[in-house]
Amino acid sequence: MKTLSIALLVMLIVLTGCAGPLPAATQEIQATTAPQATQPPVVATAAPTETAAPTLAPTPTEAPPQVPLWIVYTGRDGNLYLLDHRSGESKPITSDAAALGNTQGNAYQYLNAQISSDGQLVAFRREVGIPVASGYDVTFELWVYDTTTGESRRMSDDLPTVGLAWKPLTHLLAYGLQTGQEYFALRGQVDSTRAKGIWAIDVDSGESMELVAPHNGFSLVWPVWSRDGRYLAFDEVVGYEGRGNFAYYDFEAQEYVHIDKALGIYDWSPDSMTLVYDYLIYTPTGEERIYLRPRLADAETPLSPDYEAGYAFWPRLSPQGDQVAYFAELNDTNEDLYTLFVVPVAGGEPRSLGEFEQAIHLSWLPDGSGLVLGAGSFEARQVVEISLQDGAVKVLADGDAPALAIPLP
């Protein structure tokens, strides 16, 4: 049996357990009052003056500063950091991370950080472990960090989210909710009366709303927006662990579409007409490869080779939609060494960009010039960039789980 890194398995497992108070299941928008904003230390313009009439030789002006291209990642100390890809400078978002069992006081863990498409907001899940006689009492908070002001806001005191996704060109944050043990209480099937939909919060107004109700009788988790914001894909929770069945909601047609099978890790094309996926449902079977599928049809086309002694996973479409990057394990030694490939969507021979240890969290740079991923042993994880032109590797930071804003069409 082949294995993936611990981080990938954690991502693939659908979280379950006791959850705190949850929003009522309704399709009506519900206004909620956001908790009072907190003001952690702020990381740091004079009004323009009128100038004289233009002269024949105007005074040169400085070029406007470049807008940062943010990459959020988890440092080796467990805290979240922002890396400005253009300047190479990093700054912390959090500073108090401490794993369960590694501290005598409260334990804090930060997960699933995501950046809005305008680069202004970073959403993340904060797990707070409070020591009790039996171990820890854990609650789940939703926080948002403003990259322009350096301020953080707690949006919810106890919201056990499963996946966070910013709608492109908005500050609307979609999320799934944990399913409790009672959801699986019926023998051989789930209890549809316990199903939860996809919810969202408008960070600017503080309004919470149910975006997609569980039409098909399953709880919905791991939301993924199409790049134009018209479609929202998600997993229908059909089992205790692993990826669920693929489904999506068309907000323009107000239609819920489901295909009654899991696609594994997937990505949208820029025009929202095609899906690329790997069928990696839980642990790899060795049969996984990369496929393309029209959104409106059942036919699928294999894109990666059928690796006899390996498998392919984690596909990502380029911002231009003409290439797919993915990982492949090319041996049967369980060494967790993955080769990064890029292949044209039109088909052809995949091109190798190098081999990386326990590589996951793959993303394209917005201009399509390279890819960013997390790689390395557990104690020495690094965020690295790989040039599409020549495969050159550049270490960006010590850490893992890099995330960039969703590419826009």
Side-chain angles (χ1 to χ4, degrees):
M1 176 68 69
K2 301 180 179 63
T3 61
L4 286 174
S5 67
I6 295 175
L8 177 57
L9 291 182
V10 170
M11 190 282 298
L12 292 176
I13 296 174
V14 175
L15 301 176
T16 61
C18 298
L22 301 176
T26 171
Q27 290 186 319
E28 296 180 359
I29 295 177
Q30 296 183 344
T32 61
T33 302
Q36 183 66 34
T38 60
Q39 303 293 332
V42 177
V43 180
T45 101
T49 58
E50 295 186 2
T51 59
T55 64
L56 294 178
T59 303
T61 58
E62 293 183 1
Q66 282 190 316
V67 177
L69 170 57
W70 294 120
I71 300 174
V72 63
Y73 67 95
T74 305
R76 292 181 186 172
D77 60 359
N79 285 299
L80 297 179
Y81 292 83
L82 268 179
L83 168 69
D84 182 350
H85 181 264
R86 294 193 171 100
S87 70
E89 297 179 356
S90 290
K91 62 179 180 179
I93 295 178
T94 66
S95 61
D96 58 354
L100 298 177
N102 290 349
T103 177
Q104 295 182 348
N106 292 350
Y108 301 101
Q109 298 188 73
Y110 297 95
L111 305 168
N112 199 209
Q114 302 293 324
I115 305 178
S116 59
S117 60
D118 62 2
Q120 181 180 343
L121 300 177
V122 178
F124 55 92
R125 168 172 155 156
R126 184 195 202 208
E127 297 186 357
V128 182
I130 301 173
V132 295
S134 58
Y136 285 91
D137 182 13
V138 181
T139 59
F140 310 94
E141 300 173 351
L142 177 61
W143 284 73
V144 170
Y145 173 86
D146 191 320
T147 63
T148 60
T149 66
E151 298 177 354
S152 294
R153 284 184 288 164
R154 184 172 57 194
M155 308 304 299
S156 175
D157 288 327
D158 194 5
L159 196 66
T161 58
V162 184
L164 298 174
W166 291 102
K167 183 178 181 180
L169 301 177
T170 76
H171 288 169
L172 185 72
L173 181 67
Y175 56 87
L177 293 167
Q178 284 187 14
T179 51
Q181 298 285 354
E182 64 278 4
Y183 177 71
F184 301 102
L186 301 178
R187 185 181 297 274
Q189 61 182 357
V190 300
D191 184 350
S192 296
T193 65
R194 305 282 188 174
K196 304 179 181 73
I198 295 292
W199 284 73
I201 184 168
D202 185 325
V203 174
D204 293 335
S205 68
E207 283 188 315
S208 293
M209 62 202 76
E210 186 178 44
L211 282 183
V212 185
H215 291 67
N216 204 29
F218 296 105
S219 272
L220 312 177
V221 295
W222 296 117
V224 179
W225 288 99
S226 64
R227 302 185 194 184
D228 60 4
R230 172 174 173 173
Y231 307 99
L232 181 65
F234 35 78
D235 284 17
E236 296 177 330
V237 181
V238 297
Y240 190 77
E241 295 177 323
R243 296 299 298 249
N245 289 344
F246 175 82
Y248 69 88
Y249 191 80
D250 181 342
F251 286 92
E252 185 173 307
Q254 297 187 6
E255 181 182 14
Y256 186 103
V257 180
H258 60 94
I259 64 173
D260 296 328
K261 70 174 180 178
L263 297 183
I265 302 173
Y266 62 88
D267 194 20
W268 287 97
S269 65
D271 63 2
S272 305
M273 295 301 294
T274 305
L275 292 157
V276 59
Y277 51 95
D278 60 9
Y279 282 133
L280 181 58
I281 311 304
Y282 187 38
T283 55
T285 65
E287 302 298 322
E288 293 82 4
R289 59 190 299 191
I290 308 303
Y291 294 89
L292 291 171
R293 172 194 179 101
R295 178 177 54 82
L296 299 175
D298 292 332
E300 64 183 15
T301 302
L303 190 60
S304 68
D306 184 2
Y307 301 109
E308 294 183 2
Y311 59 95
F313 68 103
W314 209 298
R316 286 293 178 262
L317 273 153
S318 65
Q320 297 76 22
D322 60 342
Q323 300 185 84
V324 173
Y326 65 91
F327 295 122
E329 184 179 53
L330 302 181
N331 54 64
D332 199 24
T333 60
N334 293 323
E335 293 180 352
D336 290 336
L337 293 176
Y338 307 129
T339 301
L340 175 61
F341 284 103
V342 175
V343 61
V345 169
E349 188 69 22
R351 180 166 64 98
S352 170
L353 292 179
E355 189 177 65
F356 303 89
E357 182 181 5
Q358 298 188 41
I360 52 174
H361 299 293
L362 182 63
S363 298
W364 285 87
L365 290 172
D367 62 1
S369 64
L371 296 122
V372 175
L373 54 88
S377 62
F378 178 76
E379 305 82 7
R381 301 289 292 173
Q382 291 182 319
V383 177
V384 298
E385 175 187 340
I386 298 89
S387 169
L388 186 65
Q389 180 178 2
D390 57 10
V393 178
K394 178 182 179 182
V395 176
L396 301 178
D398 290 335
D400 196 16
L404 287 78
I406 182 174
L408 298 177

